[in-house]
C-alpha cells in the first residue's frame, strides 16, 4: 500500500536554451533565444524581460536588447533528453516520457529502496545537475495531473510535494490557466463565465461546463478541478513508429514559426529513423488546437 504520493513529473527547465548554455559556457547567465526569425525557446534570463516562445525576433530584441540568438542543435537535445530519462529509469521502470523534456514516474515500487517520493525527486534533481549539467523541476503528487501542475508551479529549479491533505487547497487557489489542457481559448471562455480559479470550476455544476465545452471536455474539466485523475503512468513500449511533437504556445498563428517547427520535427524524426536504420512507409501529422480538439492527416 502506498504511504503517500508517488507520482513524479520531471520537467527540464527551459530545455533548449539550457542546452545551448551548457554547450557554450559564454552564454551562461546571459539572455538566450533559440531560433532565427521567431523565438522557439528562451532562457530564464530572457524570460525575465518578457521574451517567450512564438515571439517574433524583432519584438524579442526590443524587449531584451542584449538577447543572443542561436541556432538549435536538435540532435544534442535528443541525446541529452535520452540521458536524463535513462537516469530516471535507475529509480523505477515506470517512466512515461510525454515529450522531449518531460516525463511522469511512478515510484511506488521504489520507496522502500530510495526513500519517500520527495527524497527520490531530490536525488534525481541532484544527479541530473551533477552528471548531465541540466536543471529539472519536479512535482510530487497523488495524480499525474497534480504532479504536472506542481512541477510547473515550482519552476525554475524547483521541487514541490503536494500531500493529499493539502491538495485541494493548493489546487483550488490556482487560476484556471494553470490547469493542464486549459489553453487561451478555454481560458477566455471560462473568464467570460465569471470562472477565474480552479475552485470556481469545481463549484460550477458539471452540466453547466458540459453545455459550454461539450459533454466530454466539460466532465473532464470538472473532474480535474477535484483532482480526479485515474490515469496510471504508462510505460511506453517502442512501437514500429517514430514521432516527435512540439507546442506552439501563443505563436501558432505565425506562418514562419509553423514552417520552422515543422522542419525541426521532420529533422528529429528523420534523425531517429536513421539511428534505427528504418525506412518510413506512412507519414502523419496530428494537430491539437487550444480547445483540445485534434485532427490527423496521413499519407
Amino acid at each position: 500500500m502506498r504511504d503517500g504520493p508517488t507520482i513524479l513529473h520531471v520537467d527540464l527547465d527551459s530545455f533548449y536554451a539550457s542546452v545551448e548554455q551548457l554547450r557554450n559556457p559564454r552564454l551562461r547567465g546571459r539572455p538566450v533565444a533559440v531560433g532565427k526569425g521567431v523565438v522557439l525557446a528562451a532562457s530564464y534570463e530572457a524570460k525575465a524581460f518578457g521574451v517567450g516562445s512564438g515571439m517574433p525576433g524583432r519584438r524579442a530584441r526590443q524587449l531584451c536588447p542584449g538577447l543572443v540568438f542561436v541556432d538549435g542543435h536538435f540532435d544534442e537535445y535528443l541525446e541529452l533528453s535520452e540521458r536524463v530519462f535513462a537516469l530516471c529509469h535507475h529509480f523505477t521502470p515506470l517512466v512515461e516520457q510525454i515529450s522531449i523534456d518531460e516525463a511522469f514516474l511512478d515510484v511506488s515500487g521504489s520507496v522502500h529502496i530510495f526513500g519517500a517520493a520527495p527524497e527520490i525527486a531530490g536525488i534525481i534533481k541532484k544527479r541530473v545537475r551533477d552528471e548531465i549539467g541540466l536543471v529539472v523541476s519536479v512535482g510530487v503528487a497523488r495524480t499525474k495531473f497534480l504532479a504536472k501542475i506542481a512541477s510547473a508551479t515550482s519552476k525554475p529549479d524547483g521541487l514541490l510535494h503536494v500531500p493529499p491533505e493539502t491538495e485541494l487547497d493548493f489546487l483550488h487557489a490556482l487560476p484556471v490557466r494553470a490547469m493542464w489542457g486549459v489553453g487561451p481559448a478555454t481560458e477566455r471562455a471560462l473568464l467570460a463565465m465569471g470562472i477565474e480559479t480552479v475552485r470556481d470550476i469545481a463549484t460550477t455544476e458539471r452540466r453547466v461546463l458540459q453545455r459550454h465545452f461539450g459533454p466530454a471536455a466539460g466532465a473532464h474539466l470538472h473532474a480535474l478541478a477535484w483532482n480526479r485523475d485515474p490515469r496510471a503512468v504508462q510505460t511506453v513500449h517502442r512501437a514500429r513508429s517514430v514521432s516527435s511533437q512540439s507546442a506552439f504556445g501563443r505563436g501558432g498563428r505565425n506562418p514562419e514559426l509553423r514552417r520552422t517547427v515543422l522542419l525541426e520535427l521532420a529533422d528529429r524524426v528523420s534523425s531517429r529513423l536513421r539511428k534505427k536504420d528504418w525506412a518510413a512507409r506512412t507519414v502523419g501529422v496530428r494537430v491539437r488546437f487550444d480547445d483540445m480538439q485534434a485532427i490527423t492527416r496521413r499519407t
Side-chain angles (χ1 to χ4, degrees):
M1 185 174 180
R2 296 181 178 184
D3 295 322
T6 56
I7 303 296
L8 275 57
H9 181 255
V10 177
D11 196 352
L12 283 150
D13 288 347
S14 196
F15 180 47
Y16 292 176
S18 295
V19 173
E20 297 302 330
Q21 291 174 320
L22 178 65
R23 64 190 303 277
N24 183 355
R26 290 178 297 177
L27 297 177
R28 294 175 189 172
R30 300 178 64 186
V32 174
V34 178
K36 293 181 179 177
V38 176
V39 177
L40 293 178
S43 68
Y44 278 103
E45 294 85 356
K47 290 177 181 177
F49 287 86
V51 177
S53 299
M55 181 177 290
R58 179 178 298 179
R59 175 60 177 158
R61 288 189 174 92
Q62 288 174 344
L63 291 172
C64 182
L67 187 64
V68 180
F69 268 88
V70 296
D71 291 335
H73 296 84
F74 293 94
D75 286 346
E76 292 191 41
Y77 302 158
L78 179 60
E79 178 187 348
L80 287 168
S81 169
E82 290 174 346
R83 286 180 60 192
V84 169
F85 296 118
L87 187 153
C88 291
H89 274 92
H90 293 170
F91 296 90
T92 175
L94 298 177
V95 177
E96 179 183 352
Q97 188 172 346
I98 58 174
S99 70
I100 193 171
D101 59 356
E102 57 182 321
F104 291 107
L105 283 64
D106 185 338
V107 298
S108 56
S110 309
V111 293
H112 64 291
I113 301 172
F114 300 107
E119 295 177 52
I120 295 174
I123 297 170
I124 289 173
K125 280 178 59 65
K126 185 176 187 305
R127 287 191 58 181
V128 170
R129 184 190 292 274
D130 292 349
E131 299 174 24
I132 302 174
L134 294 172
V135 174
V136 296
S137 291
V138 186
V140 183
R142 191 174 52 85
T143 63
K144 291 168 73 173
F145 166 69
L146 197 57
K148 183 172 173 67
I149 288 182
S151 70
T153 304
S154 72
K155 283 179 172 289
D157 194 15
L159 194 170
L160 181 58
H161 168 219
V162 185
E165 62 273 16
T166 67
E167 62 187 22
L168 289 182
D169 288 338
F170 166 74
L171 180 59
H172 285 177
L174 297 172
V176 293
R177 64 177 176 274
M179 287 188 69
W180 190 11
V182 173
T186 304
E187 181 187 8
R188 286 193 296 270
L190 288 167
L191 294 177
M193 297 167 62
I195 297 173
E196 299 179 353
T197 67
V198 179
R199 178 178 284 105
D200 294 337
I201 296 177
T203 55
T204 300
E205 289 189 32
R206 184 172 63 180
R207 61 182 177 81
V208 174
L209 296 170
Q210 290 177 307
R211 187 165 64 244
H212 282 83
F213 301 103
H220 186 60
L221 269 177
H222 193 264
L224 291 183
W226 288 103
N227 195 32
R228 295 171 187 150
D229 181 12
R231 296 170 304 157
V233 173
Q234 299 289 333
T235 302
V236 178
H237 299 285
R238 295 194 179 275
R240 298 292 290 179
S241 65
V242 173
S243 64
S244 187
Q245 63 182 9
S246 183
F248 287 109
R250 296 182 182 273
R253 296 179 183 273
N254 186 306
E256 183 179 355
L257 175 65
R258 291 201 299 264
R259 284 193 297 270
T260 301
V261 170
L262 187 60
L263 283 170
E264 287 160 354
L265 291 174
D267 183 60
R268 285 186 228 166
V269 170
S270 300
S271 175
R272 294 173 191 180
L273 286 169
R274 287 192 294 271
K275 285 185 176 181
K276 296 173 181 291
D277 197 25
W278 284 2
R281 184 169 54 191
T282 303
V283 176
V285 176
R286 186 167 191 266
V287 179
R288 183 182 294 278
F289 299 96
D290 55 12
D291 62 0
M292 301 306 290
Q293 299 297 309
I295 59 171
T296 303
R297 298 291 184 267
R298 295 185 178 88
T299 184

